[in-house]
């Protein structure tokens, strides 16, 4: 950015602060959407689920605003170095938060089917997994807004916790499906709920990586700790049939 | 960008062309990854599936290159208007292609389990859905590289075709699961294959929207034609039990 002119500098800082506020708003909305989606599953509250689905457009609107402002800043201020990196990472963070909110809305879309069918115990496990993911998301948003790299690394290290939960829930769901064919429909929808939550955990980890890069200009080193083994899970139905 | 200096103009055009080449390469890789993932499912070819999973890093590497070049161009050339829009949309397209390749790799991860378990007929339906999606992806990449908005609109209008296929496959899979509990494990993994393919269709549609915006500076108007009803699907097991 043009240095030397204090007016321009101040205007740019104000614009950066506004960009950060928009992202804070998106983070808050994404958290609320996820919390409400989980609560609506737990309570079988179709009204609340409907609101989550409808409110997804709010997140989309703020996302569009972030994009427009970032592009305007790039065109008018022509930032370089740290400022350029901050704007590009903000664009990426906004698009990640938008996808997180999408996954929350997809989760809420399953409430109707889950409420229609027989109650299955893994609903509670899925919601517990959701709380874990929500906690991780809050921490990731917090780290992003405060540019707190220590907190970002903490989030990054928690992704495998979510993966472990997901792998065990995956197995639990298959087991319930084999026990009683009436469980197949609700458990299938819960599989997708679990997958959405696993994706949110993954994206919270992405946010942590963006935060780290935004602050340090370096990539978080090492392999991301992954332990999702669900793609390889086989559950045999035999002992239910004997 | 600074006008008037023909050297700078030419250098910028060359950089834009190189950026487009990288994106062409990502598009080609994503298409190959998807085609190979589908073929490996059809043939139960675990070796091929393994290569798809491993080759995902190639796509990640080109993605990183695109990001680095785009950011360098923003810093050095300080483009405005059309050029700025092209660079930002290229960044978004690259990140979308990277996610498409991710979904292809996730699809390939299921080959092992599918190969282990009993053969289930919906494998063929899933692969057919995959071919439809692959065709749509090719068209979307083509439209993006040629800046062909007519072709982009065609892709955009095809998303509901994929959604219809997905909804019917979802129902087919639930039905097979209820017929025989031994089908539950393979059909569950096929549900995730189908979901990955549906996501790729969605992202091809996103590519079409980016192409349209890149060329015209306007958003594609109207609601995206959606017809995925799977979140609301209930299949009752009753008539298999009587």
């Amino acid at each position: 950015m043009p240095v030397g002119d204090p007016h321009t500098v101040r205007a740019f800082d104000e614009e950066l602060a506004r960009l950060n506020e928009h992202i804070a708003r998106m983070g808050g909305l994404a958290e609320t959407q996820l919390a409400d989606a989980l609560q609506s599953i737990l309570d079988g509250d179709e009204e609340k689920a409907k609101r989550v689905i409808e409110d997804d457009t709010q997140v989309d609107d703020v996302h569009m605003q972030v994009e427009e402002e970032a592009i305007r800043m790039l065109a008018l201020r022509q930032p370089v170095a740290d400022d350029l990196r901050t704007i590009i990472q903000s664009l990426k963070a906004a698009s990640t938060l938008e996808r997180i909110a999408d996954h929350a809305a997809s989760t809420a879309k399953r409430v109707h089917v889950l409420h229609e069918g027989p109650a299955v115990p893994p609903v509670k496990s899925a919601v517990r997994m959701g709380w874990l993911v929500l906690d991780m998301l809050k921490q990731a948003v917090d780290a992003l807004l405060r540019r707190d790299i220590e907190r970002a690394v903490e989030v990054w290290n928690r992704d495998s916790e979510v993966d472990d939960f997901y792998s065990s829930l995956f197995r639990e769901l298959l087991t319930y499906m084999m026990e009683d064919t009436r469980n197949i429909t609700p458990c299938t929808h819960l599989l997708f709920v679990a997958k959405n939550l696993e994706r949110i955990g993954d994206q919270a980890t992405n946010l942590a990586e963006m935060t780290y890069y935004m602050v340090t200009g370096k990539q978080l080193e090492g392999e991301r700790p992954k332990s999702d083994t669900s793609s390889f899970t086989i559950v045999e139905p035999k002992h239910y049939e004997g």
Side-chain angles (χ1 to χ4, degrees), chain A residues 50-65:
Chain A
K50 214 176 135 211
R51 275 200 303 280
V52 172
I53 298 164
E54 287 166 359
D55 287 353
D56 193 35
T57 56
Q58 279 187 32
V59 184
D60 293 343
D61 289 345
V62 190
H63 182 214
M64 200 93 87
Q65 266 181 301

Side-chain angles (χ1 to χ4, degrees), chain A residues 1-10 12 73 76-80 83:
Chain A
M1 61 174 292
V3 283
D5 179 347
H7 289 289
T8 314
V9 175
R10 194 167 317 137
F12 185 78
M73 285 170 79
L76 294 182
R77 307 289 173 197
Q78 312 212 316
V80 293
D83 291 334

Side-chain angles (χ1 to χ4, degrees), chain A residues 91 162 186 221:
Chain A
L91 271 173
V162 173
E221 300 227 344

Side-chain angles (χ1 to χ4, degrees), chain A residues 67-87:
Chain A
E67 285 205 346
E68 277 165 17
E69 280 199 39
I71 289 173
R72 213 175 44 79
M73 285 170 79
L74 289 172
L76 294 182
R77 307 289 173 197
Q78 312 212 316
V80 293
D82 289 1
D83 291 334
L84 177 58
R85 193 168 64 223
T86 301
I87 294 179

Side-chain angles (χ1 to χ4, degrees), chain A residues 10-31:
Chain A
R10 194 167 317 137
F12 185 78
D13 284 344
E14 277 166 15
E15 285 170 6
L16 263 187
R18 197 166 55 222
L19 199 64
N20 213 38
E21 272 164 29
H22 282 313
I23 289 175
R25 184 147 171 251
M26 282 190 84
L29 284 170
E31 286 169 21

